[in-house]
Amino acid sequence: MAISWRSSAAAFEQILGRHGVAAGACTMEAAWAAFEEFVQVPVDGIEGPEEDGDGFIVEWGVWDWTGNWPALSLGRLLAVNEDGDRQDPYWQPQYWKAEFQAYFAEDPAWADLHISGGGDSGFDHAAIGEPRADALAATRRFIDQDPLLVAMWRSAPIDIEVTLDRAG
């Protein structure tokens, strides 16, 4: 059953809860399992896969907006097509991101891994179903090969949040 793009963060929070993810009680394994489920849920009000209307990304780093805490983000980018005049030759969808962010305490084990500046997996817009499952598996293999991401993955977040914000 499809969800509205406006309720995507709430739907993600429900899925996270079913996987046992809550502030103070979160493992990245559980968060990833919830993310895999969430990005397979169809969303109404967005562009189709042929227009890259629905994608996902993993991001990590230390930024001002994370309070300078190391953070790991699991995000779903949605190209919302509900507003504006589609007949306008300059019309573009609005991009919104439903995002789970985990914040971590500094860890001496990370000292040589240079987390500041961050990185990302790149956006993947594979279609929901088997193509998306394959893309998620490839992203997970990428995570499992990066020493910094492995260290973050094994750590317990000190805080988490789920948001739906305008992107770009």
Side-chain angles (χ1 to χ4, degrees), residues 17-36:
R18 285 199 312 269
H19 285 267
V21 175
C26 176
T27 67
M28 290 310 300
E29 286 297 329
W32 181 257
F35 184 64
E36 287 180 309

Side-chain angles (χ1 to χ4, degrees), residues 5-136:
W5 71 269
R6 287 184 173 88
S7 65
S8 57
F12 194 8
E13 284 182 315
Q14 287 180 330
I15 294 168
L16 286 160
R18 285 199 312 269
H19 285 267
V21 175
C26 176
T27 67
M28 290 310 300
E29 286 297 329
W32 181 257
F35 184 64
E36 287 180 309
E37 181 179 335
F38 171 63
V39 298
Q40 292 283 13
V41 175
V43 177
D44 288 333
I46 62 172
E47 291 292 301
E50 67 282 352
E51 299 295 328
D52 291 341
D54 183 4
F56 69 90
I57 189 168
V58 176
E59 300 170 285
W60 58 92
V62 176
W63 303 283
D64 292 344
W65 65 85
T66 66
N68 292 314
W69 289 103
L72 180 60
S73 164
L74 309 176
R76 185 173 185 179
L77 188 69
L78 306 170
V80 176
N81 62 16
E82 294 181 346
D83 293 328
D85 177 8
R86 292 190 64 121
Q87 303 307 316
D88 180 339
Y90 301 105
W91 178 88
Q92 292 288 318
Q94 292 182 6
Y95 290 91
W96 289 78
K97 184 164 55 164
E99 179 176 30
F100 167 87
Q101 266 204 35
Y103 304 96
F104 300 89
E106 291 289 339
D107 189 318
W110 305 356
D112 295 332
L113 299 179
H114 308 291
I115 191 171
S116 64
D120 65 68
S121 64
F123 285 105
D124 193 296
H125 293 91
I128 287 175
E130 191 173 330
R132 182 153 293 178
D134 292 344
L136 286 160

